[in-house]
Amino acid sequence: MVVPKHGVFTTRENKVYQMKKLLVSAIPALALSIAVGTAQAGETLDAVKAKGFVQCGVSTGLPGFSVADDKGNWGGLDVDVCKAVAAALFGDAGKVKFSPLTAKERFTALQSGEIDMLSRNTTWTLTRDSNLGLNFAGVNYYDGQGFMVSKKLGVKSAMELSGASVCIQAGTTTELNLADYFRANKMEYEPITYDTSDETVKGFEAGRCDVLTSDQSQLYALRIKLSDPNGAMVLPEVISKEPLGPVVRQGDDDWFNIVRWSLNAMLNAEELGVSSKNVDEMKGSSDPNIRRLLGLEGIKGEGLGLADEWAYNIVKQVGNYGEAFERNVGSGSPLKISRGLNALWNNGGIQYAPPIR
Amino acid sequence: MSDQPSDAMTPGKPAPWNDPKIRAIVFQALLVGAVVMFGFYLINNTLYNMEQRGISTGFSFLEKESGFGVTQSLIEYDETHSYGRTFFVGLLNTVLVSVLGIFFATLLGFVMGVARLSKNWLVARVATAYIEIFRNIPLLLQIFFWYFAVGINFPRPRESLALGEVFFLNNRGLFMPRPVTEDGFGLVVAALIIAIVAVFFMVRWAHRRQDATGQPFHTVWASLGLLVGLPLVAFLAAGNPLTWEYPELRGFNFKGGLSVLPELFALTLALTVYTGTFIAETVRAGIQSVSHGQTEAARALGLRESKLLQLIIIPQAMRVIIPPLTSQYLNLTKNSSLAAAIGYPDLVAVFAGTTLNQTGQAVEIIAMTMAVYLSLSLTISLFMNWYNAKMALRER
Ligand SMILES: N[C@@H](CCC(=O)N[C@@H](CS)C(=O)NCC(=O)O)C(=O)O
């Protein structure tokens, strides 16, 4: 799937767009009413095993999190979670297919079975967890909502934004937080709600709105998509909690466990100092924690119904959490986001995975 | 042959299960029953499965607070209103853009359709070029063009184009003064209503008189006089009960006055220009369907050119034009749902978009949205069928 660059839509993309629109409205009604059978334990896992790959829902293109390069290869922090699951399940991180989804499309795509898991900067909230028939399998990025403005405006704080026009993307928690924040601070605003992030960025660049608001990580990601990234700045205020993580359908606990523990394995590997570079040497380690992680002793792959080296495969092929972070959004990337909240718990952050034992 | 047909020949009364009429009824009843049962099964199955999957169902979400803002609303709305209210906000925005689109597309279409048949080479070519270009570019691209290349490419608020410090145009929209009515304005409204009723009766009277005596009456001028004059007199009598609220630059943007959002502007323009091409072709076909003999006959009777159009060509052409025109109106209404692409808050964007996403109640919301488009379309169809019946050839 090629992502349209800066909104120059060719006729084909235009068709795809319209088709998607159609699907978005037709799928929920049709798919839910006809295709949905009764939820059965193991249903998703069996289907994934049978087809031999994981169908993973990602964004339509958000640098650092899920973005396709010019050859159509997907990369990013969210993409790495999908790859980790494939590595754990098939021993091959390449056995993933990606479905680019806008914010509006994502939950329907998951509910209707079009994708097996969603890893698309999705905020874990009570409504989503309890009303949509979905389960959040963890948090791979702790985020919060922020504001980006053009430097020309001379605004230094979000509290100066009363009366501003604000560009947002439809179907996000962002829409709600924005309303809350302005209401709580007795400020006025004009929300301009676009369907895709490309349009949101274009609206902001053209000056249709004074402010673009989104999760802060995404602001940094979108900023490098601007024609003049230095003309825009991110305001200091963070107005919400946005724990982003992978999501699966309710009803298949085995599949849920695999997704959850694939992420946990990445975190534990970082904590134990096991990385893609040293994982083979680490096999000789005498630390029982490391030996359990690498499937050399303890419960191994049994509980999850996976091969014993499931976590080894993740670390070897995808890397530990820290590696994935630095490569995609941290110092090794154009985004240069610092670990902050996403540092491990013993390193000043709040990333914390239950032990593998 | 005897008068009494032999017994063997009489079809007699067949047994009920052999009677084709009864059979037909039974089969149809069975079919309806099957369809209803299938529908019932679908609904039940859906509800059951959604329950199993932990997806919430029902319409109680409509009363919950929405918690999100919408740029343009024809009724009072803010984030403390309910999801049910967002339905009406979106619905009215859809109706607004559809009505505007239909109005302007009809105007443009009729002008271009007639122009295409013009004897003036240049006029005819311009009309042809317009039709061929805009009919063949996908609507979504046109919407993007009018929005991203035109609508939001005007200067920023501080550098707005101003007309007499009253009208302002910038990339946030077109801002103009808003009439504010004061006490006594009711009188003007009343005068207008009286004028409309008077015009109605006058037109009827004029027709009768012409039928009876053959004398025409200048209804157009008389109506105009009534419609403008009467309210004007009332207005002056009530002592100018109208003031204007002017837009002014405050903070980031203009406040006060009336404004047209660039989203509304771009969507209306795109729908107008696109649908106008189809209407133009319909109009051309309609006019060409009236045989030339009719024109010649009218000329032979000594009718003036204007009367020829009004009395001979247009009434006959309308019969050909109206049915396809109805389809164009329906298309325009349905196409208006592309609004979400440029952030115009129509029903699909607000209700089937944000509300659906915040509540997750896809089945209910999509069903309601489909019901709206169905009702809008049926309303347009009904109206146009009525109009068509009125215009249809009356056989005497
Ligand atoms: N975390 C928020 C927001 C997620 C979101 O969709 N953000 C936008 C930022 S503008 C995005 O990632 N868009 C990329 C796309 O639509 O492909 C949520 O879960 O609702």
mmCIF file with all atom_site columns, all heavy atoms in Angstrom, chain B residues 250-264:
data_model
loop_
_atom_site.group_PDB
_atom_site.id
_atom_site.type_symbol
_atom_site.label_atom_id
_atom_site.label_alt_id
_atom_site.label_comp_id
_atom_site.label_asym_id
_atom_site.label_entity_id
_atom_site.label_seq_id
_atom_site.pdbx_PDB_ins_code
_atom_site.Cartn_x
_atom_site.Cartn_y
_atom_site.Cartn_z
_atom_site.occupancy
_atom_site.B_iso_or_equiv
_atom_site.pdbx_formal_charge
_atom_site.auth_seq_id
_atom_site.auth_comp_id
_atom_site.auth_asym_id
_atom_site.auth_atom_id
_atom_site.pdbx_PDB_model_num
ATOM 1   N N   . ARG B 1 250 ? -11.303 39.993 16.258 1.00 0.00 ? 250 ARG B N   1
ATOM 2   C CA  . ARG B 1 250 ? -11.001 39.930 17.682 1.00 0.00 ? 250 ARG B CA  1
ATOM 3   C C   . ARG B 1 250 ? -10.136 38.704 17.920 1.00 0.00 ? 250 ARG B C   1
ATOM 4   O O   . ARG B 1 250 ? -10.556 37.588 17.623 1.00 0.00 ? 250 ARG B O   1
ATOM 5   C CB  . ARG B 1 250 ? -12.297 39.828 18.498 1.00 0.00 ? 250 ARG B CB  1
ATOM 6   C CG  . ARG B 1 250 ? -12.535 41.079 19.336 1.00 0.00 ? 250 ARG B CG  1
ATOM 7   C CD  . ARG B 1 250 ? -13.791 40.955 20.166 1.00 0.00 ? 250 ARG B CD  1
ATOM 8   N NE  . ARG B 1 250 ? -14.992 41.043 19.353 1.00 0.00 ? 250 ARG B NE  1
ATOM 9   C CZ  . ARG B 1 250 ? -16.101 40.337 19.594 1.00 0.00 ? 250 ARG B CZ  1
ATOM 10  N NH1 . ARG B 1 250 ? -16.132 39.477 20.593 1.00 0.00 ? 250 ARG B NH1 1
ATOM 11  N NH2 . ARG B 1 250 ? -17.168 40.481 18.822 1.00 0.00 ? 250 ARG B NH2 1
ATOM 12  N N   . GLY B 1 251 ? -8.944  38.880 18.442 1.00 0.00 ? 251 GLY B N   1
ATOM 13  C CA  . GLY B 1 251 ? -8.076  37.742 18.698 1.00 0.00 ? 251 GLY B CA  1
ATOM 14  C C   . GLY B 1 251 ? -7.668  37.076 17.405 1.00 0.00 ? 251 GLY B C   1
ATOM 15  O O   . GLY B 1 251 ? -7.139  37.715 16.502 1.00 0.00 ? 251 GLY B O   1
ATOM 16  N N   . PHE B 1 252 ? -7.949  35.769 17.311 1.00 0.00 ? 252 PHE B N   1
ATOM 17  C CA  . PHE B 1 252 ? -7.492  35.007 16.168 1.00 0.00 ? 252 PHE B CA  1
ATOM 18  C C   . PHE B 1 252 ? -8.319  35.235 14.912 1.00 0.00 ? 252 PHE B C   1
ATOM 19  O O   . PHE B 1 252 ? -7.897  34.939 13.822 1.00 0.00 ? 252 PHE B O   1
ATOM 20  C CB  . PHE B 1 252 ? -7.526  33.508 16.489 1.00 0.00 ? 252 PHE B CB  1
ATOM 21  C CG  . PHE B 1 252 ? -6.541  33.108 17.531 1.00 0.00 ? 252 PHE B CG  1
ATOM 22  C CD1 . PHE B 1 252 ? -6.913  32.998 18.854 1.00 0.00 ? 252 PHE B CD1 1
ATOM 23  C CD2 . PHE B 1 252 ? -5.233  32.844 17.175 1.00 0.00 ? 252 PHE B CD2 1
ATOM 24  C CE1 . PHE B 1 252 ? -5.995  32.625 19.811 1.00 0.00 ? 252 PHE B CE1 1
ATOM 25  C CE2 . PHE B 1 252 ? -4.311  32.466 18.127 1.00 0.00 ? 252 PHE B CE2 1
ATOM 26  C CZ  . PHE B 1 252 ? -4.688  32.360 19.452 1.00 0.00 ? 252 PHE B CZ  1
ATOM 27  N N   . ASN B 1 253 ? -9.571  35.711 15.099 1.00 0.00 ? 253 ASN B N   1
ATOM 28  C CA  . ASN B 1 253 ? -10.463 35.694 13.954 1.00 0.00 ? 253 ASN B CA  1
ATOM 29  C C   . ASN B 1 253 ? -11.564 36.732 14.079 1.00 0.00 ? 253 ASN B C   1
ATOM 30  O O   . ASN B 1 253 ? -11.673 37.404 15.098 1.00 0.00 ? 253 ASN B O   1
ATOM 31  C CB  . ASN B 1 253 ? -11.089 34.299 13.854 1.00 0.00 ? 253 ASN B CB  1
ATOM 32  C CG  . ASN B 1 253 ? -11.582 34.013 12.462 1.00 0.00 ? 253 ASN B CG  1
ATOM 33  O OD1 . ASN B 1 253 ? -11.505 34.859 11.574 1.00 0.00 ? 253 ASN B OD1 1
ATOM 34  N ND2 . ASN B 1 253 ? -12.118 32.821 12.279 1.00 0.00 ? 253 ASN B ND2 1
ATOM 35  N N   . PHE B 1 254 ? -12.404 36.796 13.059 1.00 0.00 ? 254 PHE B N   1
ATOM 36  C CA  . PHE B 1 254 ? -13.546 37.691 13.109 1.00 0.00 ? 254 PHE B CA  1
ATOM 37  C C   . PHE B 1 254 ? -14.636 37.093 13.983 1.00 0.00 ? 254 PHE B C   1
ATOM 38  O O   . PHE B 1 254 ? -14.875 35.899 13.961 1.00 0.00 ? 254 PHE B O   1
ATOM 39  C CB  . PHE B 1 254 ? -14.085 37.938 11.706 1.00 0.00 ? 254 PHE B CB  1
ATOM 40  C CG  . PHE B 1 254 ? -13.268 38.929 10.954 1.00 0.00 ? 254 PHE B CG  1
ATOM 41  C CD1 . PHE B 1 254 ? -12.139 38.526 10.250 1.00 0.00 ? 254 PHE B CD1 1
ATOM 42  C CD2 . PHE B 1 254 ? -13.591 40.270 10.991 1.00 0.00 ? 254 PHE B CD2 1
ATOM 43  C CE1 . PHE B 1 254 ? -11.357 39.442 9.582  1.00 0.00 ? 254 PHE B CE1 1
ATOM 44  C CE2 . PHE B 1 254 ? -12.816 41.200 10.320 1.00 0.00 ? 254 PHE B CE2 1
ATOM 45  C CZ  . PHE B 1 254 ? -11.704 40.784 9.617  1.00 0.00 ? 254 PHE B CZ  1
ATOM 46  N N   . LYS B 1 255 ? -15.272 37.964 14.737 1.00 0.00 ? 255 LYS B N   1
ATOM 47  C CA  . LYS B 1 255 ? -16.380 37.526 15.580 1.00 0.00 ? 255 LYS B CA  1
ATOM 48  C C   . LYS B 1 255 ? -17.599 38.341 15.200 1.00 0.00 ? 255 LYS B C   1
ATOM 49  O O   . LYS B 1 255 ? -17.486 39.465 14.738 1.00 0.00 ? 255 LYS B O   1
ATOM 50  C CB  . LYS B 1 255 ? -16.060 37.753 17.064 1.00 0.00 ? 255 LYS B CB  1
ATOM 51  C CG  . LYS B 1 255 ? -14.880 36.968 17.569 1.00 0.00 ? 255 LYS B CG  1
ATOM 52  C CD  . LYS B 1 255 ? -15.272 35.545 17.943 1.00 0.00 ? 255 LYS B CD  1
ATOM 53  C CE  . LYS B 1 255 ? -14.149 34.564 17.673 1.00 0.00 ? 255 LYS B CE  1
ATOM 54  N NZ  . LYS B 1 255 ? -12.982 34.817 18.493 1.00 0.00 ? 255 LYS B NZ  1
ATOM 55  N N   . GLY B 1 256 ? -18.767 37.761 15.442 1.00 0.00 ? 256 GLY B N   1
ATOM 56  C CA  . GLY B 1 256 ? -20.004 38.482 15.159 1.00 0.00 ? 256 GLY B CA  1
ATOM 57  C C   . GLY B 1 256 ? -20.354 38.438 13.684 1.00 0.00 ? 256 GLY B C   1
ATOM 58  O O   . GLY B 1 256 ? -19.553 38.001 12.845 1.00 0.00 ? 256 GLY B O   1
ATOM 59  N N   . GLY B 1 257 ? -21.535 38.912 13.347 1.00 0.00 ? 257 GLY B N   1
ATOM 60  C CA  . GLY B 1 257 ? -21.965 38.891 11.958 1.00 0.00 ? 257 GLY B CA  1
ATOM 61  C C   . GLY B 1 257 ? -22.300 37.488 11.496 1.00 0.00 ? 257 GLY B C   1
ATOM 62  O O   . GLY B 1 257 ? -22.345 36.564 12.278 1.00 0.00 ? 257 GLY B O   1
ATOM 63  N N   . LEU B 1 258 ? -22.545 37.390 10.206 1.00 0.00 ? 258 LEU B N   1
ATOM 64  C CA  . LEU B 1 258 ? -22.833 36.093 9.605  1.00 0.00 ? 258 LEU B CA  1
ATOM 65  C C   . LEU B 1 258 ? -21.563 35.599 8.957  1.00 0.00 ? 258 LEU B C   1
ATOM 66  O O   . LEU B 1 258 ? -20.815 36.386 8.395  1.00 0.00 ? 258 LEU B O   1
ATOM 67  C CB  . LEU B 1 258 ? -23.876 36.246 8.511  1.00 0.00 ? 258 LEU B CB  1
ATOM 68  C CG  . LEU B 1 258 ? -25.350 36.090 8.844  1.00 0.00 ? 258 LEU B CG  1
ATOM 69  C CD1 . LEU B 1 258 ? -26.144 36.236 7.565  1.00 0.00 ? 258 LEU B CD1 1
ATOM 70  C CD2 . LEU B 1 258 ? -25.609 34.755 9.496  1.00 0.00 ? 258 LEU B CD2 1
ATOM 71  N N   . SER B 1 259 ? -21.332 34.280 8.998  1.00 0.00 ? 259 SER B N   1
ATOM 72  C CA  . SER B 1 259 ? -20.153 33.809 8.289  1.00 0.00 ? 259 SER B CA  1
ATOM 73  C C   . SER B 1 259 ? -20.476 32.566 7.492  1.00 0.00 ? 259 SER B C   1
ATOM 74  O O   . SER B 1 259 ? -21.346 31.791 7.862  1.00 0.00 ? 259 SER B O   1
ATOM 75  C CB  . SER B 1 259 ? -19.029 33.524 9.274  1.00 0.00 ? 259 SER B CB  1
ATOM 76  O OG  . SER B 1 259 ? -19.427 32.521 10.158 1.00 0.00 ? 259 SER B OG  1
ATOM 77  N N   . VAL B 1 260 ? -19.776 32.444 6.367  1.00 0.00 ? 260 VAL B N   1
ATOM 78  C CA  . VAL B 1 260 ? -19.871 31.239 5.566  1.00 0.00 ? 260 VAL B CA  1
ATOM 79  C C   . VAL B 1 260 ? -18.523 30.546 5.683  1.00 0.00 ? 260 VAL B C   1
ATOM 80  O O   . VAL B 1 260 ? -17.499 31.095 5.294  1.00 0.00 ? 260 VAL B O   1
ATOM 81  C CB  . VAL B 1 260 ? -20.153 31.571 4.093  1.00 0.00 ? 260 VAL B CB  1
ATOM 82  C CG1 . VAL B 1 260 ? -20.240 30.295 3.277  1.00 0.00 ? 260 VAL B CG1 1
ATOM 83  C CG2 . VAL B 1 260 ? -21.435 32.374 3.974  1.00 0.00 ? 260 VAL B CG2 1
ATOM 84  N N   . LEU B 1 261 ? -18.524 29.320 6.217  1.00 0.00 ? 261 LEU B N   1
ATOM 85  C CA  . LEU B 1 261 ? -17.268 28.601 6.389  1.00 0.00 ? 261 LEU B CA  1
ATOM 86  C C   . LEU B 1 261 ? -16.698 28.205 5.030  1.00 0.00 ? 261 LEU B C   1
ATOM 87  O O   . LEU B 1 261 ? -17.454 27.912 4.106  1.00 0.00 ? 261 LEU B O   1
ATOM 88  C CB  . LEU B 1 261 ? -17.504 27.316 7.176  1.00 0.00 ? 261 LEU B CB  1
ATOM 89  C CG  . LEU B 1 261 ? -17.983 27.435 8.601  1.00 0.00 ? 261 LEU B CG  1
ATOM 90  C CD1 . LEU B 1 261 ? -18.143 26.056 9.187  1.00 0.00 ? 261 LEU B CD1 1
ATOM 91  C CD2 . LEU B 1 261 ? -16.968 28.228 9.402  1.00 0.00 ? 261 LEU B CD2 1
ATOM 92  N N   . PRO B 1 262 ? -15.368 28.152 4.921  1.00 0.00 ? 262 PRO B N   1
ATOM 93  C CA  . PRO B 1 262 ? -14.784 27.707 3.648  1.00 0.00 ? 262 PRO B CA  1
ATOM 94  C C   . PRO B 1 262 ? -15.204 26.282 3.298  1.00 0.00 ? 262 PRO B C   1
ATOM 95  O O   . PRO B 1 262 ? -15.279 25.934 2.126  1.00 0.00 ? 262 PRO B O   1
ATOM 96  C CB  . PRO B 1 262 ? -13.280 27.797 3.884  1.00 0.00 ? 262 PRO B CB  1
ATOM 97  C CG  . PRO B 1 262 ? -13.072 28.132 5.302  1.00 0.00 ? 262 PRO B CG  1
ATOM 98  C CD  . PRO B 1 262 ? -14.359 28.574 5.892  1.00 0.00 ? 262 PRO B CD  1
ATOM 99  N N   . GLU B 1 263 ? -15.483 25.473 4.327  1.00 0.00 ? 263 GLU B N   1
ATOM 100 C CA  . GLU B 1 263 ? -15.916 24.096 4.061  1.00 0.00 ? 263 GLU B CA  1
ATOM 101 C C   . GLU B 1 263 ? -17.265 24.102 3.346  1.00 0.00 ? 263 GLU B C   1
ATOM 102 O O   . GLU B 1 263 ? -17.484 23.386 2.370  1.00 0.00 ? 263 GLU B O   1
ATOM 103 C CB  . GLU B 1 263 ? -16.036 23.301 5.362  1.00 0.00 ? 263 GLU B CB  1
ATOM 104 C CG  . GLU B 1 263 ? -14.711 22.979 6.050  1.00 0.00 ? 263 GLU B CG  1
ATOM 105 C CD  . GLU B 1 263 ? -14.146 24.145 6.843  1.00 0.00 ? 263 GLU B CD  1
ATOM 106 O OE1 . GLU B 1 263 ? -14.943 25.003 7.281  1.00 0.00 ? 263 GLU B OE1 1
ATOM 107 O OE2 . GLU B 1 263 ? -12.917 24.214 7.010  1.00 0.00 ? 263 GLU B OE2 1
ATOM 108 N N   . LEU B 1 264 ? -18.173 24.936 3.850  1.00 0.00 ? 264 LEU B N   1
ATOM 109 C CA  . LEU B 1 264 ? -19.500 25.028 3.233  1.00 0.00 ? 264 LEU B CA  1
ATOM 110 C C   . LEU B 1 264 ? -19.382 25.588 1.826  1.00 0.00 ? 264 LEU B C   1
ATOM 111 O O   . LEU B 1 264 ? -19.983 25.084 0.878  1.00 0.00 ? 264 LEU B O   1
ATOM 112 C CB  . LEU B 1 264 ? -20.408 25.920 4.089  1.00 0.00 ? 264 LEU B CB  1
ATOM 113 C CG  . LEU B 1 264 ? -21.797 26.197 3.512  1.00 0.00 ? 264 LEU B CG  1
ATOM 114 C CD1 . LEU B 1 264 ? -22.575 24.908 3.351  1.00 0.00 ? 264 LEU B CD1 1
ATOM 115 C CD2 . LEU B 1 264 ? -22.575 27.157 4.394  1.00 0.00 ? 264 LEU B CD2 1
#
